[in-house]
Amino acid sequence: MPSSSRTKHFTAGVRDTIPMLIGAAPFGMIFGTLVATAQMQAWQGQLMSLAVFAGSSQFIATGLIASHTGMLVIWLATFIVNLRHMLYAAALMPHVRHLPRRWRWALGFLLTDETFAVVDRYYRQHPQDALGHWYFLGSGLSMYVNWQVWTLIGLMFGAIFPQLQTLGLDFAMVATFIAIVVPQLFKRPHLLAAIVAGSTAYVLQHLPYKLGLLVAIAFGVATGMLASRFTRQDNKQEQITVEQA
């Protein structure tokens, strides 16, 4: 396979991820500034970004560390929050199943909300692209580098301006997730799951240790699974009716 084709796909992945890079920039910077509030060393914050590379769980873990929460609760909270990555991986598996294990491990590590949104859309448009994994790599690697750079900038700014996180920059995080979630709500199960999860999270927002978030995830997933099951049954019944007519 010509290397120019691989480079073209890699570059296209980076290019299509640029809007997500911009949205994640303040998100990464704010995380860097929050590290100091959790009484963590700067190198520990950067190491978390390098090794974990999952913004939502990093924010939750940092907040729980700052409130002196036990490690068991931190592990459980971050594990449940990151369970959605298994759904992302399952959705993309048909497109990368043929790749060597080293490729699948690397792409799995780079799989984030933003990268899933970009790559899933690409595979919907090009389901048979034999070089789609290079597009996937370009998207995921650009997000990884972007996250490390803005974490480092946040660590430096956090040391100089300790109150930087109070400027309201975290709105960019909310806007980014809205941009990711809304295009996925074109099916009824997805929409119902989002409504139930969002409503539950709002009602239970004052529970300690982010437990409201965990309950909202469980309710949202259960709603989505039930709605998908009923939708498949309805479609099957309609097909039988058409065949009998």
Side-chain angles (χ1 to χ4, degrees):
M1 193 70 68
S3 59
S4 59
S5 297
R6 294 195 292 265
T7 303
K8 182 179 177 181
H9 279 72
F10 181 88
T11 306
V14 175
R15 180 199 62 210
D16 292 347
T17 311
I18 288 176
M20 300 295 183
L21 302 181
I22 296 172
F27 192 15
M29 188 169 69
I30 292 169
F31 169 73
T33 63
L34 289 176
V35 168
T37 65
Q39 298 182 344
M40 296 168 60
Q41 299 296 320
W43 68 268
Q44 292 173 319
Q46 190 70 59
L47 181 61
M48 184 185 288
S49 282
L50 285 166
V52 178
F53 186 43
S56 300
S57 61
Q58 287 183 229
F59 271 89
I60 291 172
T62 303
L64 293 176
I65 291 171
S67 61
H68 306 288
T69 304
M71 289 302 298
L72 180 60
V73 174
I74 295 174
W75 288 339
L76 182 61
T78 53
F79 173 75
I80 293 176
V81 167
N82 283 332
L83 279 178
R84 70 190 188 284
H85 290 182
M86 295 180 65
L87 302 178
Y88 297 161
L92 297 178
M93 178 58 77
H95 304 290
V96 300
R97 191 190 306 276
H98 64 287
L99 297 175
R101 184 172 300 177
R102 65 180 184 279
W103 261 101
R104 284 180 282 147
W105 278 101
L107 295 178
F109 176 72
L110 295 173
L111 183 57
T112 61
D113 303 283
E114 294 85 352
T115 295
F116 173 76
V118 173
V119 174
D120 182 61
R121 182 172 63 240
Y122 179 81
Y123 276 127
R124 289 178 188 274
Q125 298 171 348
H126 309 88
Q128 304 300 326
D129 188 355
L131 292 178
H133 54 291
W134 284 97
Y135 180 93
F136 192 158
L137 181 64
S139 176
L141 196 57
S142 61
M143 279 299 302
Y144 184 76
V145 173
N146 184 66
W147 184 249
Q148 306 312 320
V149 169
W150 285 105
T151 295
L152 180 60
I153 293 174
L155 290 169
M156 294 189 295
F157 271 75
I160 301 172
F161 306 105
Q163 301 302 318
L164 189 64
Q165 67 273 16
T166 65
L167 298 180
L169 297 177
D170 51 339
F171 174 76
M173 176 183 68
V174 178
T176 299
F177 277 98
I178 289 174
I180 292 171
V181 171
V182 170
Q184 310 295 327
L185 303 182
F186 59 92
K187 292 183 178 179
R188 186 170 58 182
H190 298 176
L191 180 61
L192 290 174
I195 292 174
V196 170
S199 302
T200 305
Y202 178 78
V203 171
L204 303 180
Q205 60 181 305
H206 298 299
L207 288 182
Y209 307 128
K210 307 290 184 183
L211 291 177
L213 180 60
L214 304 185
V215 176
I217 292 171
F219 280 18
V221 170
T223 301
M225 293 178 65
L226 286 173
S228 297
R229 182 175 180 179
F230 288 131
T231 300
R232 285 196 298 269
Q233 289 177 346
D234 290 344
N235 292 339
K236 188 175 180 179
Q237 185 61 42
E238 289 178 1
Q239 185 177 1
I240 293 174
T241 303
V242 170
E243 290 175 353
Q244 291 176 343

